[in-house]
Amino acid sequence: MGSLRDRARRPRRPGGPGRRGEPGTRARILDAAEELFARDGYEATPTAEIARLADVPKGLVFHYFPRKIDVLVALVDERTLVEESPEGESVPGDAAGALSRLARRLPIRASPAMRRILFREADTHGSVRARLGHLNGEIIRRARFALELALPGARGGAARLEVAAVTFAAVLLHQENLCQLTGHHIDPDAVAELIVHALA
Amino acid sequence: MGSLRDRARRPRRPGGPGRRGEPGTRARILDAAEELFARDGYEATPTAEIARLADVPKGLVFHYFPRKIDVLVALVDERTLVEESPEGESVPGDAAGALSRLARRLPIRASPAMRRILFREADTHGSVRARLGHLNGEIIRRARFALELALPGARGGAARLEVAAVTFAAVLLHQENLCQLTGHHIDPDAVAELIVHALA
Amino acid sequence: MGSLRDRARRPRRPGGPGRRGEPGTRARILDAAEELFARDGYEATPTAEIARLADVPKGLVFHYFPRKIDVLVALVDERTLVEESPEGESVPGDAAGALSRLARRLPIRASPAMRRILFREADTHGSVRARLGHLNGEIIRRARFALELALPGARGGAARLEVAAVTFAAVLLHQENLCQLTGHHIDPDAVAELIVHALA
Amino acid sequence: MGSLRDRARRPRRPGGPGRRGEPGTRARILDAAEELFARDGYEATPTAEIARLADVPKGLVFHYFPRKIDVLVALVDERTLVEESPEGESVPGDAAGALSRLARRLPIRASPAMRRILFREADTHGSVRARLGHLNGEIIRRARFALELALPGARGGAARLEVAAVTFAAVLLHQENLCQLTGHHIDPDAVAELIVHALA
DNA sequence: TATGAATGAGTCTTCATTCAT
DNA sequence: CATGAATGAAGACTCATTCAT
């Protein structure tokens, strides 16, 4: 671990992004927090550890984020962008393909680490929960839209179509979340095909 | 002594103060831990709080559970019983009904609190994760069995049937876990019907 | 100051008051706090310093007093006893003598250090302020009682007598408080005589 | 940057942003400190809070006052003017009136806030203590002078007159200081009358 | 077994002060 | 002069764990 005080401070390149007001300092703190929260969880990550990994003094973390929770909130606010349905992305007539594409690219712009954080801290912190709920809603909306477009007169009507959309969203989120823990894997394409069969 | 909050000690049944092996001491500790872990999370629950709610002295918790983590492990070991598939529970011919019954009674004997704990602490503690994986596997097995029994010659064969089982398990676990957070609700019966349609 | 960790812990005499549950531990903490609060003020005294002077580990302070302010409150509650007027202490006919006696022994059982604390922390902490107000009231009551007893028909009546009592109380408290700071000294006996003259 | 609470910067008068030596910057810092020290105490007031209330950047406080204590010292030095006895203010023959006037206007030019600061921080900081002592001395001097002028041949001689002056000063300072805390009120006019009676 | 005082490493947070720009 | 990011020593308080009784 090294004795105290001999932490080799990464030399800041003068004139580069390593000087005062360095635009990357705050980002480095968030980078570190993202990595650590994802690996160890929010509660189990000391702010001092964040500072160490970000290579900034302990106090600076609190300069940017007055309380520890603010780091988490900033992370969720700034690094998980739930993409609002950009319509017209689906091609009429190919429901299974549209669902597959949705599975392959969830409407969330976030690193794998941020996704872990989103799922893990959801039930302890309101703002994280809200973001996750938003994501879930967006996935459902897109799945529903894809199915409506491809299967206009699906048997069972709107109700069954809604169930199909919700089911697909559940599978996708379950895969992102618990499958990584339980070791079970799901092939979203197969699920997409199954669902389309049910509606066709 | 007065400086600490007085704790209204629940009067011990006459017959001896804290009789030898008083039945229930250990159980009361687990009761308290279950409630607190579910509400606040494992990390955020101090052992002292467990002792207080259980109405036992702090030191006694460590008599029964040398380390804090042992409380969680005991909880998972003793209070989440994944029921191994008792075969023959399904009635041939009614796949949707069998899935509905599975949804209504997951093959896990555990309080709602224990279920929360199982999901929330899964990625921090191996033994919890293993139990959750076990549960997932069992649900899949039962769903598969129900479908096999009811739809012997399902179109698409064993592969599609497996996908259906896995999908149904995902929906059930997703409902237990994230639905409570995101506020979205799923009707398992409708999903069961959807899936059966896909295979019929 | 000595390197860390070599603090010569005063050896606890086994069998004496130095064993577990030692009745003096809490008292030693209060002793230390009393000395330090009086010398440096409440805000300027770290809890760690209290622990050091009391020769107990830092954490133990918080075992007895969950928050730092509780130490101050306990000190005021337990170590400043305002003595309720024990009547019949005054001898009719000797007002000046009674006031002198009051000056010589204020109706408060507290060390000089506690008195300093009482005055210094009064305006920051409600419970201290209340105690000081109580003391002030008691002094006034006694002074009034002494004057009533000795000068039944004082000219000016009850109103002037009240003014005299309040004035005397002011002098006594001022002497306890600011005189120590400003370096001015007051002879309470002379003030007593002055007041009696005014009423005679 | 957004993570810190936005501070509504009072718009600087057009004519240059923060003009050179903008009159008032230093004064605004002292204004803010005066308000905060009086309300919360010196120790409990962070310099950052002073800067915020003064609406100046944190670093600027240290430009004008290299150390925090210098703010307090400047406040006491510049905002508490103990008025040296301007003689001849008293009218011979009316001692009680002179004392009353003294009570109504203490020989100190300072806001109520500064008076609080003077009393509260007296025993922690030498320069404050000195100023308070000076004030006390001046009050005594004036009271003595008023009494001498009005009661040339007071019974009891110079000694008793001195006691009277000191008593009156004690009452005035006690009223300024502790009476505000204990809730007891004193009517200085009545005390003045009492004292004059004692000497008449 | 039972008890709660004892222990001290660790955690979040605050804050005076510096200093490059 | 002006600015606010940077610094790190302290501070209050927490808490798992031990242990004498």
Side-chain angles (χ1 to χ4, degrees):
Chain A
M1 176 174 301
S3 71
L4 291 167
R5 211 154 295 286
D6 69 349
R7 173 160 56 101
R9 174 63 46 88
R10 173 200 316 171
R12 304 271 166 76
R13 288 156 291 161
R19 69 180 175 298
R20 288 288 165 143
E22 175 181 4
T25 298
R26 185 172 179 280
R28 280 219 315 285
I29 293 171
L30 289 178
D31 288 344
E34 181 176 332
E35 179 176 337
L36 294 170
F37 288 171
R39 195 185 69 193
D40 304 326
Y42 172 80
E43 293 280 3
T45 301
T47 54
E49 183 79 8
I50 297 173
R52 193 174 313 128
L53 184 59
D55 190 30
V56 299
K58 239 180 353 175
L60 199 51
V61 173
F62 290 91
H63 178 71
Y64 288 104
F65 308 98
R67 291 160 310 147
K68 184 187 177 187
I69 189 66
D70 295 328
V71 179
L72 179 60
V73 170
L75 233 28
V76 170
D77 278 356
E78 301 171 20
R79 298 194 170 188
T80 67
L81 181 63
V82 176
E83 295 163 350
E84 305 286 332
S85 89
E87 308 297 329
E89 195 185 285
S90 292
V91 184
D94 181 18
L99 293 185
S100 283
R101 253 172 283 132
L102 177 56
R104 217 156 289 124
R105 207 170 84 57
L106 291 184
I108 184 175
R109 199 126 35 174
S111 68
M114 275 311 308
R115 296 181 182 196
R116 280 278 63 217
I117 292 170
L118 214 51
F119 286 110
R120 188 189 291 176
E121 308 302 340
D123 56 1
T124 321
H125 303 290
S127 70
V128 188
R129 184 160 53 247
R131 189 59 59 109
L132 184 59
H134 191 179
L135 174 62
N136 192 25
E138 184 60 25
I139 292 177
I140 293 174
R141 186 173 317 117
R142 292 192 181 210
R144 187 197 308 123
F145 183 73
L147 292 171
E148 280 171 350
L149 210 61
L151 308 165
R155 61 171 171 175
R160 167 165 293 168
L161 199 141
E162 180 69 19
V163 169
V166 164
T167 297
F168 196 65
V171 167
L172 292 190
L173 290 184
H174 183 261
Q175 187 192 3
E176 278 281 316
N177 184 18
L178 290 183
C179 279
Q180 305 193 1
L181 298 174
T182 61
H184 295 88
H185 293 287
I186 303 183
D187 175 9
D189 288 354
V191 176
E193 195 208 13
L194 182 83
I195 284 175
V196 169
H197 264 279
L199 297 175
Chain B
M1 177 154 314
S3 76
L4 299 171
R5 277 174 284 282
D6 292 80
R7 176 157 50 93
R9 175 64 47 87
R10 176 195 315 172
R12 299 277 167 69
R13 282 163 300 156
R19 270 192 319 198
R20 294 296 162 129
E22 175 183 357
T25 294
R26 187 172 180 283
R28 278 216 314 285
I29 293 172
L30 290 177
D31 287 345
E34 182 178 331
E35 180 176 336
L36 294 169
F37 288 171
R39 198 185 64 194
D40 304 326
Y42 172 82
E43 292 280 3
T45 300
T47 56
E49 183 80 6
I50 297 173
R52 194 175 312 131
L53 185 60
D55 192 29
V56 299
K58 216 171 16 168
L60 204 50
V61 172
F62 286 89
H63 175 73
Y64 288 107
F65 308 98
R67 288 158 310 140
K68 184 188 175 187
I69 189 65
D70 296 328
V71 180
L72 178 61
V73 170
L75 229 31
V76 170
D77 278 356
E78 301 171 22
R79 298 194 169 186
T80 67
L81 181 62
V82 176
E83 295 164 349
E84 304 286 335
S85 88
E87 308 296 331
E89 194 185 286
S90 291
V91 184
D94 181 17
L99 292 185
S100 283
R101 253 172 283 133
L102 176 57
R104 216 157 293 124
R105 211 173 78 57
L106 291 185
I108 184 173
R109 200 129 29 174
S111 68
M114 276 311 309
R115 295 180 183 196
R116 281 276 68 214
I117 293 170
L118 212 54
F119 286 110
R120 185 188 292 174
E121 308 301 339
D123 55 2
T124 321
H125 303 289
S127 70
V128 188
R129 184 159 54 245
R131 187 60 55 111
L132 184 61
H134 190 178
L135 173 63
N136 192 25
E138 184 60 25
I139 293 177
I140 294 174
R141 187 173 316 118
R142 291 190 181 213
R144 187 199 305 122
F145 183 72
L147 292 171
E148 279 172 349
L149 210 60
L151 307 164
R155 63 173 169 172
R160 168 168 292 171
L161 198 141
E162 180 69 17
V163 168
V166 163
T167 296
F168 196 65
V171 167
L172 292 189
L173 291 184
H174 184 261
Q175 187 192 3
E176 277 281 315
N177 186 18
L178 288 184
C179 278
Q180 305 193 1
L181 299 175
T182 61
H184 293 89
H185 295 287
I186 303 183
D187 175 11
D189 288 354
V191 176
E193 196 209 12
L194 183 83
I195 285 176
V196 170
H197 264 279
L199 298 174
Chain C
M1 174 170 303
S3 71
L4 290 168
R5 210 154 295 286
D6 71 349
R7 173 161 55 102
R9 173 64 45 89
R10 175 201 315 171
R12 304 272 167 74
R13 290 154 293 160
R19 68 181 177 298
R20 287 289 164 145
E22 175 181 4
T25 298
R26 186 172 179 281
R28 279 218 315 286
I29 293 171
L30 289 178
D31 288 344
E34 182 177 333
E35 180 176 336
L36 294 169
F37 287 172
R39 196 184 67 194
D40 304 326
Y42 171 81
E43 292 281 3
T45 301
T47 55
E49 183 78 8
I50 297 173
R52 194 175 312 129
L53 185 59
D55 190 30
V56 300
K58 242 179 350 176
L60 199 51
V61 173
F62 291 92
H63 178 71
Y64 288 104
F65 309 98
R67 291 159 309 148
K68 184 187 176 187
I69 189 66
D70 294 328
V71 179
L72 179 60
V73 170
L75 232 28
V76 171
D77 278 356
E78 301 171 22
R79 298 193 169 187
T80 68
L81 182 63
V82 176
E83 296 162 349
E84 305 287 332
S85 89
E87 308 296 329
E89 193 185 286
S90 292
V91 185
D94 181 17
L99 292 185
S100 283
R101 253 172 283 132
L102 178 55
R104 217 156 288 123
R105 208 171 83 57
L106 291 185
I108 184 174
R109 199 129 34 178
S111 68
M114 276 310 309
R115 295 181 183 196
R116 279 276 66 217
I117 292 169
L118 214 51
F119 287 109
R120 186 189 294 175
E121 309 301 339
D123 56 1
T124 323
H125 304 290
S127 70
V128 188
R129 184 159 54 245
R131 189 58 59 108
L132 184 60
H134 190 179
L135 174 62
N136 192 25
E138 185 61 25
I139 293 177
I140 293 174
R141 187 173 315 118
R142 291 193 181 208
R144 187 197 307 122
F145 184 71
L147 292 171
E148 279 171 351
L149 210 60
L151 307 165
R155 62 172 171 173
R160 168 167 292 169
L161 199 142
E162 181 68 18
V163 169
V166 164
T167 297
F168 196 65
V171 168
L172 292 190
L173 290 184
H174 185 260
Q175 187 192 2
E176 278 281 316
N177 186 17
L178 289 184
C179 279
Q180 305 193 0
L181 298 174
T182 61
H184 294 89
H185 295 288
I186 303 182
D187 175 9
D189 288 354
V191 176
E193 194 207 14
L194 182 83
I195 285 175
V196 169
H197 263 280
L199 297 174
Chain D
M1 178 156 312
S3 77
L4 300 171
R5 276 175 283 284
D6 291 81
R7 176 156 52 90
R9 175 64 47 87
R10 176 195 314 171
R12 300 275 168 70
R13 282 164 299 155
R19 271 191 318 198
R20 293 295 161 134
E22 176 183 358
T25 294
R26 186 171 180 282
R28 279 216 316 283
I29 293 172
L30 289 177
D31 288 343
E34 181 177 330
E35 179 176 335
L36 294 170
F37 288 171
R39 198 184 66 194
D40 304 326
Y42 171 82
E43 292 280 2
T45 300
T47 55
E49 183 80 6
I50 297 173
R52 194 175 313 131
L53 185 60
D55 191 29
V56 299
K58 217 171 14 167
L60 203 48
V61 172
F62 287 89
H63 175 73
Y64 288 106
F65 308 99
R67 288 159 310 141
K68 184 187 176 187
I69 189 65
D70 295 328
V71 179
L72 179 60
V73 170
L75 230 31
V76 170
D77 277 356
E78 302 171 21
R79 298 196 171 186
T80 68
L81 181 63
V82 176
E83 294 165 349
E84 304 286 334
S85 89
E87 307 295 330
E89 194 185 285
S90 293
V91 184
D94 181 18
L99 292 186
S100 283
R101 253 170 284 133
L102 177 56
R104 216 156 293 124
R105 211 173 79 58
L106 291 186
I108 183 173
R109 201 126 31 170
S111 68
M114 276 312 309
R115 295 182 183 195
R116 282 277 66 214
I117 293 170
L118 212 53
F119 287 110
R120 185 187 291 174
E121 308 302 338
D123 55 3
T124 320
H125 303 288
S127 71
V128 188
R129 185 159 53 244
R131 187 59 56 110
L132 185 60
H134 190 177
L135 173 62
N136 192 24
E138 184 60 25
I139 293 176
I140 293 174
R141 188 173 315 118
R142 291 191 180 210
R144 187 198 306 124
F145 183 72
L147 292 171
E148 278 172 349
L149 210 60
L151 308 164
R155 60 173 172 172
R160 168 166 293 169
L161 200 140
E162 181 69 18
V163 168
V166 164
T167 297
F168 197 66
V171 167
L172 292 190
L173 291 184
H174 183 261
Q175 187 192 2
E176 277 281 315
N177 185 18
L178 289 183
C179 278
Q180 305 194 359
L181 299 174
T182 61
H184 294 89
H185 295 286
I186 303 183
D187 174 11
D189 288 354
V191 176
E193 195 209 13
L194 183 83
I195 285 175
V196 170
H197 264 279
L199 297 175

